[in-house]
Amino acid sequence: MPFAPQTLCGTVVSAGKMMKAVKVRTSKQVYNSFLRKHFTAHQSHLVSDPNSSLREGDVVRIAPAWRASKHIRHVVTEIVSPWGPPVEERPPIPDLEEMAEEMRAKREAKIERRAAKRQGHLIDEDDGEQEPTLKERHTNVIGGPEVLGGEERVVLEREMRNQ
């Protein structure tokens, strides 16, 4: 299988301790000009493993991708040599297109939620029912605005002034 030059090959040194992430150790040759000798230099990368399909000791190919978190900047592209259970018994590794599609769907759902929130009502995803707006909650409360919290009262007063 051909691969891009920026992909790296390394060994999983820590798996199962973080959710959807593993630590992969890669190595490369570094030349010391004073000693005129090559030495092996190691570097560790935190890698996104969305299905938790990697085990310690696996030899994997990783590629740089979008930032999944503050320190995770790579994704697993394939398992070169498994250690332990065979690859067929593990959850499949999603390819970059599948992960991008999942991220796009999550982002669209977030944008819809934010738009609904800005319109003044939240849609409960479990029931499909709409939560009452701040004004409706205010009219349903016994005792009027003094029962509401400080921030809610200020927001409600602003809404009433704007109308």
Side-chain angles (χ1 to χ4, degrees), residues 5-157:
Q6 69 263 22
T7 60
L8 301 169
C9 197
T11 306
V12 177
V13 293
S14 175
K17 298 174 185 171
M18 298 171 279
M19 291 179 59
K20 299 182 179 183
V22 295
K23 186 186 282 188
V24 175
R25 186 176 186 190
T26 60
S27 60
K28 63 179 180 179
Q29 292 288 317
V30 177
Y31 184 70
N32 187 326
S33 61
F34 180 75
L35 296 176
R36 297 181 185 178
K37 185 176 178 181
H38 283 87
F39 291 96
T40 304
H42 300 284
Q43 188 174 11
S44 294
H45 301 278
L46 285 180
V47 179
S48 176
D49 178 24
N51 293 342
S52 299
S53 56
L54 299 178
R55 308 290 182 264
E56 285 188 28
D58 287 347
V59 178
V60 294
R61 181 159 288 127
I62 61 175
W66 56 87
R67 263 177 104 155
S69 72
K70 184 177 179 181
H71 299 288
I72 299 176
R73 294 182 173 90
H74 292 80
V75 294
V76 176
T77 55
E78 69 173 311
I79 299 175
V80 177
S81 174
W83 181 266
V87 178
E88 295 80 25
E89 295 177 5
R90 301 181 189 186
I93 296 175
D95 58 350
L96 292 175
E97 291 82 22
E98 291 174 358
M99 288 192 284
E101 183 61 35
E102 182 181 342
M103 287 180 59
R104 192 175 6 266
K106 280 185 176 180
R107 181 69 182 156
E108 288 173 2
K110 180 179 180 178
I111 290 171
E112 289 176 13
R113 286 193 309 270
R114 291 181 77 191
K117 186 176 179 180
R118 286 186 182 135
Q119 290 175 356
H121 53 68
L122 298 174
I123 298 173
D124 190 12
E125 294 178 0
D126 297 335
D127 304 335
E129 298 177 6
Q130 293 184 355
E131 290 186 11
T133 62
L134 188 60
K135 188 178 263 186
E136 291 170 355
R137 286 197 332 224
H138 173 67
T139 56
N140 295 337
V141 171
I142 300 172
E146 56 270 3
V147 177
L148 292 175
E151 293 177 12
E152 290 180 331
R153 184 174 33 243
V154 171
V155 170
L156 184 63
E157 290 170 0

